[in-house]
Amino acid sequence: MEKSSTPNRQLSMCDMISDDLSGMNNQDVPKSCVTHDICADKPKLANNFCTFLQWQKHNEELLSRSVQGHHQSNVVEYNVQRAINTLSGSADKSMSDSTNKIAGMTRNIDRWKAHMFQVIENMRNEIDLLILSKTKIQKAQTALRIICSISTECLERRSFRLETDLTLDPGQVELVKEKELITEIGNLFCRTLSQIKDQLNRNKNVKVRLEKNWSDKYQSFQIDTINLGLNIQTPIIMSHADVIKDSENTCLSVPEWESITKSLYEEAEQVLNESRQLRSIVDDVLKKSANRLRDQADTVDIALARFISDTQQIGQAIENDLKQVVQRLGDSENLIGDLIRVIMNLEKAKQTAETRLHNRLKRPGDENVKDNAQLSLISEVKNLSDQLNTLNYQLYCARTGHGGLQEARSLLEDDSRIKRKTLWIDSIRCQRIRAHYPSVNILLGR
């Protein structure tokens, strides 16, 4: 700043006015006072005027403050620019770091989401397969009830056999074993079906939890996907006052989150393995049960067929024997008739000889002699008596044999009736009803 060359010189108002007026162009200004001489008297200093030194000092202070302000403004501007650059870079780095971490967490969520989705699909398929196994068991139970009805019908019908044929033959023994086997397998089916229902409930509960977890991860993935697209130019960003406090109070740590997810995943895999093992057990139970029932049914059928064959052979032998007995009865009756006729003739002959002897005993005096005729009549009576005794004994024996034949005929007829009843029960009732025995495929629940 340039300083005045005559600092002690004071300019008068006239000089200042003259200088000012002299600088005017094309203006009509009088060069002398109009009414009075303003410079006639010496000017007086007012009390409120500052000194020139004060004025200079004031200007210097003002200019020094301006320079200081410029310097301070430059410093502030430098610091602000530096702070802007530093903080902007830090904010950009922080945002980039947060974006990378969100992206990493998003990838982690997406990875677990894919695992959960696969497990859910496996669980759905497993539930469908387990329901199919349940249906197989139920169908096998229906077939087992049919078998139970067949076996019970056979046992009840065979209880109507008569007398000696109501025996514990091999067919009856195998039917009793079949009934016991049916009861055993029925209890096994009930236990297996109960296990399937419990496993289905576990599968469905785990499936619900998996779906809830997958849904939560899907929402988190969508949220973080939106977060990845946010920046300072996004129009939907806004301030949230309590977000830090809420985040600190409600959020889990990543290890805890991953531990919970992994625990659920491992639990689901374990439940899947248990369900698969149960399905394998169900298939094994159905297969073994079907084979045991079918083998026992074949054993029963073979035993019944053999017993029927034996009964038929015995029945045929009885029929043949009965025919012979009937034939012998006829012959015996003819023989007895002949014996009776002979005995009657001999009786008449004896009576004739006895009458002759009786009449000859009436001869008088010495005429009553033991002549040859008398001796012949006596011998004839004795011979006829002996012959009659022999024939009567033979008649007794013939009648006794005839009675035995009649008794044998009655027994044979009764036994033949019993055998026909047994054959009707075993062949007509039991074998026909056992022809409806379920096949192996039906016993397997197919």
Side-chain angles (χ1 to χ4, degrees):
M1 181 180 178
E2 296 182 357
K3 295 184 179 180
S4 177
S5 59
T6 57
N8 294 327
R9 185 181 172 211
Q10 295 182 354
L11 297 176
S12 63
M13 290 297 294
C14 292
D15 295 331
M16 294 175 63
I17 293 172
S18 299
D19 294 334
D20 292 335
L21 292 176
S22 62
M24 295 181 182
N25 297 320
N26 300 324
Q27 293 183 2
D28 295 333
V29 179
K31 295 183 179 181
S32 60
C33 294
V34 178
T35 56
H36 59 277
D37 189 4
I38 60 174
C39 297
D41 296 330
K42 192 175 183 179
K44 296 180 180 180
L45 295 174
N47 294 329
N48 56 350
F49 275 41
C50 61
T51 63
F52 183 71
L53 291 175
Q54 290 177 338
W55 176 78
Q56 286 182 330
K57 185 177 181 181
H58 169 72
N59 291 332
E60 290 176 356
E61 290 177 355
L62 182 61
L63 293 175
S64 65
R65 281 198 300 270
S66 177
V67 172
Q68 185 178 0
H70 284 293
H71 175 71
Q72 188 174 4
S73 176
N74 291 332
V75 172
V76 170
E77 182 179 358
Y78 172 77
N79 291 333
V80 168
Q81 190 64 37
R82 182 180 179 185
I84 289 173
N85 294 333
T86 302
L87 295 179
S88 295
S90 176
D92 292 340
K93 182 180 179 182
S94 177
M95 182 177 292
S96 177
D97 185 56
S98 297
T99 301
N100 292 333
K101 290 181 179 179
I102 291 174
M105 189 62 183
T106 303
R107 288 191 296 271
N108 198 12
I109 292 174
D110 187 58
R111 179 174 61 86
W112 277 111
K113 183 167 65 71
H115 290 335
M116 290 299 177
F117 183 80
Q118 185 61 45
V119 172
I120 290 172
E121 288 298 315
N122 293 339
M123 187 62 73
R124 287 174 180 170
N125 295 333
E126 183 61 31
I127 289 174
D128 293 338
L129 292 174
L130 197 58
I131 290 175
L132 182 60
S133 296
K134 178 183 175 183
T135 304
K136 288 181 179 180
I137 287 289
Q138 291 173 339
K139 289 182 178 179
Q141 283 182 324
T142 302
L144 191 66
R145 283 192 287 269
I146 295 174
I147 295 174
C148 183
S149 300
I150 292 173
S151 180
T152 303
E153 176 74 11
C154 291
L155 287 172
E156 288 180 355
R157 290 295 176 181
R158 296 192 100 235
S159 66
F160 295 146
R161 291 178 297 171
L162 300 175
E163 299 177 9
T164 55
D165 275 12
L166 188 60
T167 180
L168 197 63
D169 59 278
Q172 186 75 9
V173 172
E174 296 302 331
L175 278 171
V176 172
K177 289 182 180 179
E178 184 180 57
K179 192 61 181 283
E180 294 174 352
L181 179 62
I182 290 170
T183 302
E184 177 187 349
I185 292 178
N187 295 332
L188 178 61
F189 282 174
C190 289
R191 292 194 301 270
T192 305
L193 188 61
S194 178
Q195 292 177 356
I196 290 175
K197 290 179 179 179
D198 293 340
Q199 188 64 44
L200 272 175
N201 291 332
R202 290 187 62 193
N203 289 2
K204 290 178 180 179
N205 291 334
V206 171
K207 175 175 167 288
V208 169
R209 291 168 58 194
L210 287 170
E211 290 175 341
K212 176 66 169 57
N213 189 274
W214 180 88
S215 178
D216 294 343
K217 283 180 172 52
Y218 179 80
Q219 293 183 20
S220 298
F221 180 79
Q222 295 296 323
I223 290 171
D224 280 346
T225 301
I226 293 172
N227 286 335
L228 288 174
L230 295 179
N231 53 51
I232 60 175
Q233 303 297 329
T234 307
I236 62 173
I237 59 175
M238 62 180 65
S239 298
H240 298 276
D242 298 331
V243 65
I244 295 178
K245 181 179 179 182
D246 294 340
S247 298
E248 290 177 349
N249 292 334
T250 59
C251 288
L252 294 173
S253 64
V254 174
E256 291 174 340
W257 169 83
E258 194 154 6
S259 175
I260 293 173
T261 303
K262 186 177 180 181
S263 176
L264 178 59
Y265 180 81
E266 291 176 349
E267 181 182 355
E269 288 291 338
Q270 181 180 358
V271 171
L272 278 173
N273 291 332
E274 292 175 356
S275 182
R276 293 188 184 106
Q277 291 176 0
L278 180 58
R279 281 195 299 107
S280 176
I281 291 173
V282 169
D283 293 338
D284 187 60
V285 165
L286 287 173
K287 185 176 180 180
K288 289 183 177 179
S289 299
N291 291 334
R292 291 178 65 188
L293 287 170
R294 190 66 259 180
D295 291 343
Q296 183 62 31
D298 293 339
T299 303
V300 171
D301 292 340
I302 292 172
L304 283 176
R306 287 177 178 175
F307 184 74
I308 290 172
S309 177
D310 294 341
T311 304
Q312 286 175 341
Q313 291 178 3
I314 295 173
Q316 188 63 43
I318 290 173
E319 292 289 337
N320 295 334
D321 197 15
L322 183 60
K323 289 179 181 179
Q324 293 179 1
V325 168
V326 171
Q327 183 66 37
R328 294 296 300 275
L329 276 172
D331 296 341
S332 176
E333 289 175 355
N334 293 331
L335 179 62
I336 291 172
D338 293 339
L339 278 174
I340 290 174
R341 283 191 297 271
V342 171
I343 289 172
M344 289 178 65
N345 291 330
L346 289 177
E347 285 285 345
K348 290 179 179 180
K350 179 184 176 184
Q351 290 175 357
T352 301
E354 289 178 347
T355 302
R356 285 177 177 179
L357 280 174
H358 179 70
N359 290 333
R360 294 197 79 197
L361 289 175
K362 293 179 180 179
R363 289 177 300 173
D366 294 335
E367 294 299 326
N368 191 11
V369 297
K370 188 180 293 184
D371 54 6
N372 291 330
Q374 187 75 9
L375 293 174
S376 178
L377 288 172
I378 292 172
S379 176
E380 182 183 4
V381 170
K382 289 180 179 180
N383 289 333
L384 288 174
S385 296
D386 292 338
Q387 290 175 3
L388 284 173
N389 289 333
T390 300
L391 290 176
N392 283 325
Y393 177 75
Q394 294 298 326
L395 179 62
Y396 171 78
C397 291
R399 285 177 174 174
T400 302
H402 184 73
L405 288 174
Q406 285 181 329
E407 184 180 359
R409 175 186 177 183
S410 177
L411 292 175
L412 288 171
E413 288 176 344
D414 289 341
D415 203 68
S416 179
R417 177 175 56 86
I418 291 171
K419 293 296 183 289
R420 288 195 300 270
K421 177 75 171 180
T422 301
L423 287 173
W424 182 83
I425 289 174
D426 285 346
S427 61
I428 304 300
R429 296 297 301 176
C430 292
Q431 280 191 329
R432 285 189 180 180
I433 195 172
R434 291 189 70 83
H436 299 282
Y437 200 96
S439 64
V440 175
N441 286 333
I442 295 176
L443 294 175
L444 291 173
R446 295 175 182 172

